[in-house]
Amino acid sequence: MESLITRYKKLLRSVKLDFKRNLYHQINWDARAICILGARGTGKSTLMLQYLKEKLPENQSLYISLDDLYFKQEGLVEVAERFIQLGGKHLFLDEVHKYGDWQAAVKNLYDFYPDLKMVISGSSILTLQKSQVDLSRRLVYYELPELSFREYIALKHQIVASPVDLNYLLINHQELSSKIIEVLPHPLAEFEQFLQYGAYPFFKEGQQDYISKINQLINVIIDYDLPEGRDISTATQAKLKKLLYILSTAVPFSPNITKLAEKTETTRPRLLEMLHMLETSRLIRNLRNSSHGVSMMNKPDKIFLSNTNLIYALALENQNKGNVRETFFYNQLANSKRTVTYPQQGDFLIDDKYLFEIGGKNKDFSQIANLPDSFIAADDLEYGLGNKIPLYLFGFLY
């Protein structure tokens, strides 16, 4: 027990509080039990440690990672009980999916120790989502997405701007552009950097190894995290990686599932299952018409990688600019909790109301002419005019 406390205190001393993710301020930390979901590399552990350092008494709190070798010999419930006996009130459990039968342990601690507050997290979203069946009445779930462009600027340059509501952005985008350019004179250059290197907080460690770290992240998710939640073969893992590469080099298109299955040497039903696994792991996003269900066996209308950095890591020199633009827009709108669906005309329908076409600065309204609440999100544009809005501004929604 003493070794766990010592490691926790060392970690706490190394945590910085100068930058916090947007989710930090949205979590109801007073809830008895919280589960923080999120893809690998998004900063879940840092988020937990920041709250511990800033808000909680050190002698009543404990952060432990359940992939620690300590738990090869010691039980989680027994450790938690000793912690409570020592006056502990706040228990933070990271990499919780690494502990066998963790759901039962968390359930027992919740039921038998009503004064104990818990925050749990882990890297395997698929495994954690399974817990919602047994723990949904006990845990409050949050998800930490990749960085927004706003958060990237704050972390890189210490330029702090508040998140902007979408409705405000649509009306006041020229004013917003002016305010941003006052403190960030070259937003388009920074935006281009973000598209390649800014989705994950570890960009701060340098660009030289960033792409290789993303490829390692992909391999860990497919080779280790997915098998913890699904029974998949080595051959399927190889096909998942091939499918990701195909998607990274594609133009924005409505996929032919049969042809995509042929390219990945699998069956149509199995391909749909693979797409579901990749989406659950936050490696891709499947865009559907609002009238379609989200069943695993329903063909998506479009398929995107989860963020633009994945495109640059996988496609290397073969990125399609249209794909990059649409991926950014989809990523930032979905991460800001907006409903994003595939419309009959245009590229994206937001909240069943706002219609968007995505393109370069010369994009016109011909494809969405005379449609109500229609807008263009245009790349390579610092200032917009009317319903034509700079694409980078949609990175300030969260």
Side-chain angles (χ1 to χ4, degrees):
M1 185 70 176
E2 290 75 15
S3 63
L4 292 176
I5 294 173
T6 299
R7 283 197 283 276
Y8 160 55
K9 291 187 175 182
K10 284 183 178 178
L11 269 176
L12 215 54
R13 285 195 292 272
S14 67
V15 173
K16 297 180 180 179
L17 299 173
D18 53 341
F19 168 79
K20 300 185 188 75
R21 297 295 310 275
N22 190 51
L23 183 66
Y24 181 94
H25 307 288
Q26 297 180 337
I27 292 174
N28 175 19
W29 295 101
D30 291 327
R32 275 191 61 196
I34 295 165
C35 178
I36 302 175
L37 302 169
R40 278 187 176 270
T42 51
K44 298 181 296 296
S45 303
T46 300
L47 186 79
M48 295 165 74
L49 287 163
Q50 284 179 325
Y51 183 76
L52 280 162
K53 184 170 185 173
E54 185 175 49
K55 299 293 186 180
L56 298 179
E58 192 173 313
N59 62 343
Q60 294 180 353
S61 310
L62 181 63
Y63 166 96
I64 51 181
S65 180
L66 291 171
D67 61 356
D68 195 309
L69 293 175
Y70 185 90
F71 291 98
K72 297 295 182 184
Q73 297 180 350
E74 299 289 336
L76 172 58
V77 173
E78 290 72 26
V79 168
E81 287 174 340
R82 289 205 297 275
F83 169 64
I84 293 167
Q85 289 167 2
L86 293 170
K89 295 182 178 180
H90 306 276
L91 184 60
F92 285 59
L93 306 174
D94 205 359
E95 298 297 336
V96 70
H97 63 285
K98 295 291 185 181
Y99 184 82
D101 203 17
W102 65 269
Q103 295 99 325
V106 169
K107 180 178 180 294
N108 286 338
L109 291 172
Y110 183 96
D111 291 346
F112 294 115
Y113 297 98
D115 293 331
L116 178 69
K117 290 188 176 181
M118 288 183 290
V119 178
I120 71 170
S121 185
S123 300
S124 178
I125 296 179
L126 194 61
T127 305
L128 288 174
Q129 283 184 334
K130 282 186 174 182
S131 71
Q132 293 189 21
V133 176
D134 299 323
L135 299 173
S136 60
R137 291 182 295 104
R138 297 172 176 86
L139 293 175
V140 181
Y141 288 84
Y142 295 92
E143 181 158 350
L144 183 65
E146 305 97 327
L147 291 171
S148 67
F149 183 45
R150 183 194 70 85
E151 290 177 312
Y152 167 78
I153 294 301
L155 182 55
K156 183 179 179 181
H157 295 296
Q158 293 75 54
I159 296 174
V160 179
S162 299
V164 178
D165 179 73
L166 177 62
N167 297 308
Y168 176 89
L169 188 158
L170 298 180
I171 297 170
N172 302 287
H173 59 87
Q174 287 184 316
E175 177 187 348
L176 182 59
S177 292
S178 296
K179 289 180 178 179
I180 290 169
I181 291 171
E182 280 182 14
V183 294
L184 190 71
H186 306 290
L188 297 183
E190 292 289 350
F191 182 56
E192 187 62 33
Q193 287 286 304
F194 170 77
L195 294 176
Q196 298 181 50
Y197 300 107
Y200 302 96
F202 56 79
F203 81 84
K204 287 282 286 183
E205 298 168 15
Q207 291 183 6
Q208 184 174 355
D209 300 318
Y210 186 81
I211 295 299
S212 64
K213 286 177 182 177
I214 289 185
N215 279 294
Q216 290 170 15
L217 181 148
I218 292 168
N219 286 331
V220 169
I221 291 172
I222 293 176
D223 294 341
Y224 296 97
D225 292 346
L226 274 177
E228 288 178 346
R230 288 282 183 89
D231 183 17
I232 62 173
S233 66
T234 304
T236 298
Q237 290 170 328
K239 290 174 182 178
L240 287 167
K241 293 175 185 178
K242 183 176 182 180
L243 178 57
L244 280 176
Y245 173 74
I246 292 170
L247 296 175
S248 72
T249 59
V251 298
F253 73 113
S254 298
N256 184 316
I257 296 299
T258 301
K259 287 186 178 179
L260 207 50
E262 290 173 359
K263 286 184 179 180
T264 50
E265 301 175 62
T266 190
T267 64
R268 189 180 191 281
R270 184 58 172 164
L271 179 75
L272 290 170
E273 187 179 354
M274 288 165 60
L275 290 172
H276 177 72
M277 283 190 281
L278 290 174
E279 184 173 38
T280 305
S281 302
R282 303 303 187 262
L283 287 173
I284 69 170
R285 295 176 186 270
N286 295 320
L287 184 66
R288 294 179 171 88
N289 187 288
S290 59
S291 63
H292 294 173
V294 293
S295 166
M296 179 173 66
M297 301 315 292
N298 282 347
K299 172 180 121 35
D301 291 286
K302 279 190 177 182
I303 307 169
F304 297 90
L305 294 192
S306 185
N307 63 70
T308 60
N309 289 187
L310 295 173
I311 297 175
Y312 282 94
L314 290 166
L316 298 177
E317 303 299 323
N318 298 319
Q319 308 93 10
N320 175 272
K321 190 66 175 175
N323 189 18
V324 171
R325 290 165 176 160
E326 291 191 20
T327 298
F328 165 78
F329 184 87
Y330 189 6
N331 170 272
Q332 300 287 285
L333 271 292
N335 286 348
S336 62
K337 309 303 181 188
R338 295 288 175 171
T339 301
V340 186
T341 53
Y342 184 64
Q344 292 183 343
Q345 289 178 263
D347 293 320
F348 298 99
L349 182 63
I350 307 301
D351 296 341
D352 289 323
K353 179 179 181 181
Y354 301 120
L355 183 65
F356 282 91
E357 185 78 16
I358 317 299
K361 63 181 179 180
N362 296 321
K363 185 78 174 179
D364 61 34
F365 283 84
S366 58
Q367 292 176 277
I368 51 174
N370 303 317
L371 294 175
D373 293 314
S374 59
F375 301 85
I376 288 176
D379 198 8
D380 303 317
L381 193 68
E382 285 191 350
Y383 291 94
L385 181 65
N387 284 16
K388 191 170 186 176
I389 303 171
L391 180 63
Y392 74 89
L393 289 183
F394 294 92
F396 286 80
L397 295 174
Y398 71 94

